[in-house]
Amino acid sequence: MNQRITFFPVEEMDDAMRAELERCAQIGTPRPESSAIRAHVPGAFWGFTQAWDAVFRNGVADHSLKELCRVYVSRSVKCEYCGNQRSTAATSAGLEEGKYDELLNFESSAVYSEREKAALAYAEAITWRLDTDDAFWERMHSQFTEPELVEIGFFIALTMGQQSWLRTLNIEHHQVLPGTTASMAPGFEDARAAAASKSKGSYWAKNS
């Protein structure tokens, strides 16, 4: 499928924007392609970058919880670009690949803690616009402080909006500053591996 919005040329970026794009290539989440789309409008580029840094990479809530919520949204809205990335910080903190496999069936899964299930229930309610009753909020408050609930909720809304948009653009990995594997999911380390993974019947986007 044709890409719907072009990548802003790297050679036309200023030093600060180029440095951020190189950080994306070396660390990922986001990878440089989505940043190169936002680079058409510096306000969009830096607005997203600063918010993402404040509430995803940093903040009051556990990063790995937010990473699970991020990929839950990917699986829900079928943003393949976002869903085929992994946070290197979460991986370094011990988040195992197997925890990504059962995200859409999190309530019945034995792999998640009660706190993780509560965070995913929060993501589910926001993503699917579910009604939330007193029991839901009692569950949220039993697991999280109010600052954590604000940050996680804001982050879910931010990533849901971005992923709902990016999925329409038909962008692929390894197109901007290629040659790095930072934050790529297993089987998506380069363009050839990604194409092979997407062709399998077990590929998540074919089964979600």
Side-chain angles (χ1 to χ4, degrees):
M1 293 184 288
N2 294 329
Q3 185 169 318
R4 304 307 185 184
I5 298 177
T6 61
F7 298 126
F8 187 82
V10 176
E11 62 273 14
E12 295 182 22
M13 296 179 185
D14 62 26
D15 290 346
M17 191 175 282
R18 174 62 186 260
E20 173 59 21
L21 208 73
E22 289 176 348
R23 189 212 62 76
C24 290
Q26 295 301 319
I27 299 176
T29 326
R31 293 280 297 177
E33 291 81 14
S34 62
S35 293
I37 293 287
R38 286 183 288 267
H40 281 284
V41 179
F45 182 96
W46 291 115
F48 173 83
T49 296
Q50 291 162 4
W52 197 252
D53 186 60
V55 300
F56 180 54
R57 296 193 198 99
N58 298 291
V60 297
D62 181 73
H63 177 78
S64 293
L65 282 178
K66 291 180 285 189
E67 167 68 355
L68 288 174
C69 291
R70 184 189 68 80
V71 181
Y72 175 88
V73 173
S74 302
R75 300 288 170 96
S76 298
V77 304
K78 285 194 175 181
C79 180
E80 296 180 62
Y81 178 78
C82 302
N84 294 329
Q85 297 180 59
R86 300 289 183 266
S87 164
T88 54
T91 301
S92 296
L95 183 58
E96 298 177 353
E97 182 64 22
K99 284 203 170 180
Y100 294 99
D101 296 336
E102 299 184 45
L103 282 170
L104 296 185
N105 301 302
F106 67 90
E107 291 285 21
S108 60
S109 174
V111 305
Y112 304 110
S113 68
E114 289 305 309
R115 186 172 166 86
E116 289 169 334
K117 287 184 178 183
L120 291 168
Y122 201 15
E124 178 185 47
I126 295 169
T127 302
W128 296 103
R129 299 176 299 281
L130 303 182
D131 291 335
T132 57
D133 56 15
D134 288 347
F136 174 89
W137 284 105
E138 287 171 7
R139 181 185 187 186
M140 294 301 109
H141 284 286
S142 74
Q143 296 293 333
F144 304 109
T145 65
E146 288 193 328
E148 288 173 327
L149 287 170
V150 169
E151 182 176 276
I152 294 169
F154 176 84
F155 168 71
I156 292 166
L158 175 64
T159 195
M160 180 185 169
Q162 285 294 301
Q163 294 194 34
S164 296
W165 171 50
L166 292 174
R167 65 173 290 277
T168 71
L169 303 183
N170 300 332
I171 61 175
E172 294 283 352
H173 290 287
H174 310 295
Q175 300 298 305
V176 177
L177 301 184
T180 68
T181 62
S183 81
M184 295 307 305
F188 293 84
E189 294 84 358
D190 56 38
R192 181 176 295 180
S197 293
K198 287 186 176 185
S199 70
K200 296 178 180 177
S202 59
Y203 177 48
W204 69 265
K206 294 180 179 180
N207 299 286
S208 62

